[in-house]
Amino acid sequence: MALFRPKEKLQIFTDLNTDKLKEKGFDTVLLDIDNTIAVPDTGICDERAKAFIEKLKSEGFKVAIFSNNTKKRVKMFLNGMDVDYVYFALKPLPFQYWRACLMLKSKPEKTVVLGDQLLTDITGANLSGCYGIYCKQLMEKDTPMTSVNRQVEKLIWRYILNDKV
């Protein structure tokens, strides 16, 4: 089912091929935080994530943190970094994806969404017309709600997408 299918899969966020994205005409990247570019509940952005964000920006991409988390959590993560953000994104609903594109002066068809969950990040990317790239979660640690989602996602990977994570 196309609704859940990511356009690409990565083992870790640093595997993102920015040259390939540029060749395809993408100019914007929306980044999920927890379990995509940061271990959940670890506080501020670590050096690896910070370097990744700075690399994207230096290569000309418009970048925003795109999270279902609270404003407090997103601001704590960014710790003063000069990066746009959307909090309480209501993923997978497409409205905030479109709002993020408007905010960054881009279009969904030129926007990449990098996230670790099929039911939120990837489904929302597909509903909004963005290019969803699935990134394997950094840790097995999840919130109770996300743990439920992961169980559903295992079934989707196996029985609908005929794939493995």
Side-chain angles (χ1 to χ4, degrees):
M1 182 179 242
L3 182 63
F4 301 118
R5 188 174 302 282
K7 305 295 191 258
E8 296 180 33
K9 291 189 322 187
L10 304 176
Q11 285 298 308
I12 188 165
F13 66 93
T14 53
D15 290 344
L16 187 68
N17 186 331
T18 54
D19 291 332
K20 190 167 104 176
L21 294 179
K22 283 188 229 173
E23 286 173 17
K24 291 182 175 185
F26 294 107
D27 65 8
T28 303
V29 180
L30 303 180
L31 299 169
D32 177 54
I33 299 176
D34 289 325
N35 250 336
T36 299
I37 62 170
V39 174
D41 303 321
T42 54
I44 64 173
C45 184
D46 69 16
E47 289 305 313
R48 180 173 62 172
K50 191 178 289 186
F52 178 71
I53 291 167
E54 292 304 323
K55 175 183 183 258
L56 289 171
K57 289 170 60 176
S58 72
E59 291 185 14
F61 288 97
K62 297 173 246 182
V63 179
I65 297 300
F66 193 71
S67 176
N68 277 348
N69 270 301
T70 63
K71 183 176 184 178
K72 180 180 175 183
R73 166 67 177 124
V74 173
K75 288 189 86 152
M76 180 178 65
F77 172 78
L78 289 173
N79 192 33
M81 285 178 57
D82 183 26
V83 179
D84 289 310
Y85 60 89
V86 174
Y87 64 93
F88 197 57
L90 299 172
K91 298 182 271 185
L93 299 176
F95 312 109
Q96 293 284 50
Y97 291 80
W98 297 329
R99 180 176 161 252
C101 290
L102 284 172
M103 178 180 77
L104 296 169
K105 297 178 176 61
S106 187
K107 297 178 179 175
E109 60 271 15
K110 293 184 167 277
T111 300
V112 170
V113 175
L114 187 62
D116 67 301
Q117 291 188 60
L118 290 180
L119 294 177
T120 56
D121 305 304
I122 302 306
T123 299
N126 289 333
L127 286 170
S128 65
C130 295
Y131 189 85
I133 298 178
Y134 174 82
C135 184
K136 189 171 180 178
Q137 70 189 89
L138 291 174
M139 282 189 68
E140 294 294 321
K141 179 181 179 181
D142 280 314
T143 64
M145 182 61 198
T146 304
S147 293
V148 171
N149 284 354
R150 297 265 187 230
Q151 296 307 310
V152 174
E153 287 179 1
K154 284 180 185 176
L155 297 173
I156 292 170
W157 280 112
R158 185 170 184 182
Y159 296 108
I160 296 175
L161 300 178
N162 298 314
D163 200 347
K164 294 180 187 173
V165 180

